[in-house]
């Protein structure tokens, strides 16, 4: 039995049952509240900006399913598209029109992407992009950055120590050294480290994979010139640049981070990965790039890749309706909403004397509970005061605001966050900031 939580008896009961039949009671580790303690809320339904748990309590949602729910939950147009698609069957195992429509929408938004292959998760997208890069270059090494998450692909789970060109140790049990040994892990935003790695291994490196703007160590955008440096170095050494836009894609702008930051002067990335927003809450993801590279894939080329449910008609209908709903007006609204919430968080934490810094990638932002004035890489991100975050998180949850249950995440707003939802968040912040301040006092006493 878990400890008794009078605020969430029905969630607690479900958690007990889940713990018996599911490892840790969850189907994705971050849902388990391990980082903040307590009982994860089992959500019964969600509409607009609000979640309702199995105890009937409501929360303003700042997780947004970790990114996909950019229009809000159960959005009427997406709902209609899903219901309409479902009446015509669930999966055909043949080509279908929705796949073409979704691919056309993506290609029309992200200029350097001429072709995409649809898959069912971001993990599949990065795994397939890495395979394609290795197949196209005939090389095997991959460079990634500490703190960047690219799904649970063996070769990409490694993040090892910071510093110059470290050969990675597996970060997860079950990843053979042979898989991780082809991965070079570097500190983010560190051009000299990048130059050193390419100087030493340049002709063995198939690809550099990076989050377009990292959001999985909290929001740590590339410093001016860093994207450019990645592009220049990879091109000089014949390696591909894979921009992982699974989180940023179609969120930071209609063309993702690329549309927000602009195409590097030295050229666009070679391959892109997408997920989250483009599935509208259903399992749909993609990888894509120039047609000459994409034509290396089966059935045209020698790089094998496939999926029984890839391009599923319901998932693609949801994704297409979501992207169609992501108008310029939606993007400016997301920015304004994020600025109001982050501004209020900053004021409340300042008033309570809690050191923090807020970092941005368009409307994605995160609040780092750190004394550093900025967070440039994973080591900086790990300097956070985690007990202070946990206290802040639980005070917000008690007040009916559901933040991501980890200090290393972006807060995700949606187009459904109206004044009522925003004001509910703002009203909860001062008490949460005080709780964070008290947690700090307890730690330092
Ligand atoms: C979420 C995420 C992934 C993995 O996507 P899944 O659909 O969870 O497999 C990969 N890359 C980035 C940048 C992500 O944020």
């Amino acid at each position: 039995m878990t400890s008794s939580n009078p605020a969430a008896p029905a969630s607690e009961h479900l958690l007990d049952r889940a713990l018996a039949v599911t490892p840790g009671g969850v189907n994705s580790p971050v849902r388990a509240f391990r980082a903040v303690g307590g009982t994860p809320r089992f959500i019964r339904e969600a509409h607009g900006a609000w979640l309702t748990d199995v105890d009937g309590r409501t929360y303003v949602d700042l997780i947004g399913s970790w990114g996909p729910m950019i229009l809000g939950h159960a959005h009427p147009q997406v709902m209609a598209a899903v219901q309409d698609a479902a009446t015509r069957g669930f999966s055909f195992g043949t080509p279908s029109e929705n796949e073409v429509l979704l691919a056309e929408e993506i290609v029309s938004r992200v200029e350097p992407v001429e072709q995409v292959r649809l898959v069912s998760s971001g993990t599949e997208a990065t795994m397939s992009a890495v395979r394609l890069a290795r197949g196209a270059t005939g090389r095997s090494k991959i460079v990634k950055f500490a703190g960047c998450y690219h799904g649970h692909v063996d070769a990409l789970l490694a993040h090892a120590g910071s510093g110059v060109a470290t050969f990675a140790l597996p970060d997860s049990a079950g990843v053979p050294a042979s898989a991780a040994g082809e991965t070079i892990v570097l500190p983010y935003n560190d051009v000299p480290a990048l130059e050193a790695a390419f100087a030493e291994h340049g002709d063995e490196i198939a690809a550099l994979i990076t989050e377009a703007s990292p959001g999985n160590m909290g929001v740590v955008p590339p410093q001016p010139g860093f994207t450019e440096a990645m592009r220049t170095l990879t091109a000089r050494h014949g390696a591909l640049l894979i921009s992982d836009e699974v989180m940023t894609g179609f969120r930071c702008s209609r063309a993702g981070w690329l549309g927000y930051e602009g195409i590097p002067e030295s050229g666009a990335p070679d391959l892109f990965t997408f997920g989250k927003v483009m599935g509208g809450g259903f399992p749909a993801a993609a990888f894509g790039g120039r047609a000459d590279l994409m034509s290396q894939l089966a059935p045209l080329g020698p790089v094998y890749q496939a999926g029984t449910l890839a391009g599923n008609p319901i998932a693609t209908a949801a994704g297409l309706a979501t992207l169609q709903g992501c108008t310029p007006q939606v993007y400016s609204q997301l920015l304004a909403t994020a600025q109001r919430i982050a501004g209020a968080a900053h004021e409340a934490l300042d008033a309570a004397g809690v050191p923090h810094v807020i970092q941005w990638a368009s409307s994605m932002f995160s609040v780092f509970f750190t004394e550093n004035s900025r967070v440039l890489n994973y080591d900086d991100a790990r300097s956070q005061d985690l007990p202070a975050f946990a206290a802040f998180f639980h005070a917000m949850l008690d007040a009916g605001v559901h933040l991501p249950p980890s200090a290393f995440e972006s807060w995700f707003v949606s187009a459904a966050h109206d004044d009522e939802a925003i004001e509910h968040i703002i009203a909860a912040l001062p008490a949460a900031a005080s709780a964070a301040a008290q947690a700090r006092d307890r730690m330092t006493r």
Side-chain angles (χ1 to χ4, degrees), residues 152-163:
H152 58 100
V153 180
D154 277 359
L156 301 178
L157 273 179
H159 61 73
S162 57

Side-chain angles (χ1 to χ4, degrees), residues 148-422:
C148 279
Y149 179 65
H150 303 289
H152 58 100
V153 180
D154 277 359
L156 301 178
L157 273 179
H159 61 73
S162 57
V164 182
T166 314
F167 272 102
L169 290 174
D171 206 37
S172 161
V175 178
S178 57
E182 299 290 5
T183 307
I184 299 169
V185 182
L186 301 177
Y188 193 67
N189 273 325
D190 186 339
V191 176
L194 204 55
E195 283 170 344
F198 274 89
E200 194 176 348
H201 301 288
D203 59 357
E204 303 163 81
I205 296 171
L208 164 61
I209 184 167
T210 181
E211 287 189 56
S213 177
N216 284 294
M217 50 178 142
V219 173
V220 180
Q223 291 298 102
F226 191 64
T227 307
E228 193 75 55
M230 288 191 277
R231 176 67 285 184
T232 310
L233 273 169
T234 46
R236 186 181 304 153
H237 291 274
L240 301 183
L241 177 60
I242 305 173
S243 184
D244 182 353
E245 293 240 27
V246 170
M247 182 182 285
T248 52
F250 318 110
R251 176 166 281 274
C252 289
S253 80
R254 72 186 299 282
W257 178 256
L258 182 92
Y260 184 78
E261 190 184 37
I263 296 178
E265 260 172 45
S266 45
D270 301 288
L271 291 171
F272 293 80
T273 55
F274 305 108
K276 299 198 167 101
V277 168
M278 65 156 283
F282 285 76
F287 63 105
R290 295 191 313 272
D292 67 297
L293 265 177
M294 294 301 286
S295 66
Q296 300 277 314
L297 288 172
L300 298 178
V303 180
Y304 195 71
Q305 188 281 328
T308 301
L309 297 178
N312 172 271
I314 302 174
T316 47
L320 183 64
T322 298
L323 290 184
Q324 286 169 341
C326 289
T327 59
Q329 194 268 331
V330 160
Y331 289 109
S332 44
Q333 186 194 335
L334 293 178
L335 263 179
T337 300
Q339 278 161 1
R340 273 176 76 189
I341 296 168
H346 173 60
E347 258 176 52
L349 290 168
D350 252 6
V354 179
H356 66 281
V357 57
I358 299 181
Q359 295 197 165
W360 293 88
S362 183
S363 68
M364 279 168 47
F365 68 96
S366 52
V367 180
F368 292 95
F369 288 73
T370 177
E371 293 180 9
N372 293 1
S373 59
R374 57 184 188 170
V375 174
L376 290 180
N377 56 40
Y378 192 39
D379 278 348
D380 290 351
R382 281 189 294 190
S383 73
Q384 288 193 85
D385 183 336
L386 299 177
F389 173 79
F392 181 83
F393 169 86
H394 275 293
M396 293 296 280
L397 193 69
D398 290 347
V401 179
H402 206 319
L403 295 172
S406 157
F408 300 94
E409 301 292 344
S410 172
W411 299 16
F412 293 102
V413 299
S414 83
H417 284 72
D418 55 9
D419 282 338
E420 187 197 349
I422 295 168

